[in-house]
Amino acid sequence: DQQVKQNSPSLSVQEGRISILNCDYTNSMFDYFLWYKKYPAEGPTFLISISSIKDKNEDGRFTVFLNKSAKHLSLHIVPSQPGDSAVYFCAASANQAGTALIFGKGTTLSVSS
Amino acid sequence: GAGVSQSPSNKVTEKGKDVELRCDPISGHTALYWYRQRLGQGLEFLIYFQGNSAPDKSGLPSDRFSAERTGESVSTLTIQRTQQEDSAVYLCASSFTGTSSYNEQFFGPGTRLTVL
């Protein structure tokens, strides 16, 4: 029973356009959400996070939106760049350090120039 | 070093052998986590350490898996009598657990374990 779902295994976008990666969760106890980026043969790199008390968090080209009623979050990358090509993982946890992160299966983003 | 380090980066072993995987967390991070990623899957939580104790071992898949942490630093994940289904990338992460900290975990590069 997957608690965090990324239903799109892959996404292809042209350079300069917006990339939108989606994530759904089922556990209403989750109140902290993170996005990680992973290149081949490397560990995941923290990208951006959002607490359930907010509905938007922005950091440069990256914005995460949270819709608690729909149990849905999305990561927007604009403008997309070829270096953004990677696997993106959505993760969720209780907003408390020291708890396990529950990960989705990831979405592979390909940005073409 | 500045980040989480893991060794070895790759390990090939024969079915039935024991393996030890090592993790050096970021200095000052009191929390340490082990995850694994099987092919085509997301990261799967294994165990969490706070200091040298493990309050959450719920993700360890069987009693063949164990882990320890010493000196609130290095951790070792041991898999006894390895099976082919143990083949995966084993990832270690660490985080700071101060009273105002959020659950941002920082990952090492992983150890790719292949059981023949």
Side-chain angles (χ1 to χ4, degrees):
Chain A
D1 178 30
Q2 268 194 289
Q3 298 186 69
V4 177
K5 298 179 183 177
Q6 294 177 257
N7 291 320
S8 297
S10 62
L11 175 67
S12 294
V13 171
Q14 282 192 322
E15 182 178 9
R17 300 287 188 104
I18 186 171
S19 296
I20 301 176
L21 296 101
N22 294 302
C23 179
D24 297 292
Y25 62 97
T26 58
N27 191 336
S28 57
M29 298 299 291
F30 290 148
D31 55 9
Y32 191 58
F33 306 89
L34 308 91
W35 285 94
Y36 283 84
K37 175 179 176 179
K38 186 180 184 302
Y39 293 116
E42 295 184 10
T45 302
F46 170 73
L47 199 55
I48 192 169
S49 62
I50 188 166
S51 166
S52 61
I53 62 174
K54 296 184 176 181
D55 54 19
K56 176 182 174 181
N57 188 27
E58 190 172 354
D59 183 2
R61 297 185 297 114
F62 303 90
T63 303
V64 55
F65 295 92
L66 175 63
N67 182 334
K68 290 189 293 292
S69 61
K71 293 192 177 68
H72 177 84
L73 63 154
S74 60
L75 174 68
H76 292 210
I77 307 172
V78 56
S80 302
Q81 299 173 354
D84 296 330
S85 298
V87 179
Y88 288 79
F89 290 98
C90 171
S93 77
N95 189 10
Q96 179 183 349
T99 56
L101 294 178
I102 308 301
F103 283 84
K105 290 188 178 182
T107 296
T108 300
L109 173 65
S110 299
V111 181
S112 56
S113 54
Chain B
V4 178
S5 60
Q6 293 186 245
S7 61
S9 55
N10 280 284
K11 177 72 178 178
V12 180
T13 190
E14 292 180 348
K15 178 181 172 181
K17 301 280 190 182
D18 298 352
V19 295
E20 281 190 356
L21 312 178
R22 176 187 168 106
C23 171
D24 283 90
I26 293 171
S27 178
H29 279 190
T30 52
L32 185 147
Y33 314 78
W34 283 98
Y35 294 82
R36 73 175 176 183
Q37 184 183 16
R38 291 197 261 190
L39 194 63
Q41 303 297 312
L43 279 72
E44 176 189 4
F45 168 75
L46 298 178
I47 187 170
Y48 152 62
F49 285 92
Q50 178 58 40
N52 292 336
S53 63
D56 188 353
K57 306 179 184 179
S58 63
L60 293 178
S62 76
D63 59 8
R64 296 186 295 106
F65 287 73
S66 63
E68 64 174 17
R69 188 180 185 194
T70 56
E72 296 195 351
S73 180
V74 172
S75 176
T76 303
L77 177 69
T78 301
I79 309 173
Q80 295 178 310
R81 305 180 302 282
T82 52
Q83 304 294 312
Q84 288 181 333
E85 64 262 26
D86 300 334
S87 296
V89 177
Y90 288 81
L91 291 149
C92 176
S94 68
S95 70
F96 176 65
T97 54
T99 54
S100 62
S101 64
Y102 291 96
N103 198 9
E104 292 167 5
Q105 300 178 15
F106 297 88
F107 284 82
T111 294
R112 180 175 297 277
L113 174 66
T114 304
V115 182
L116 301 176

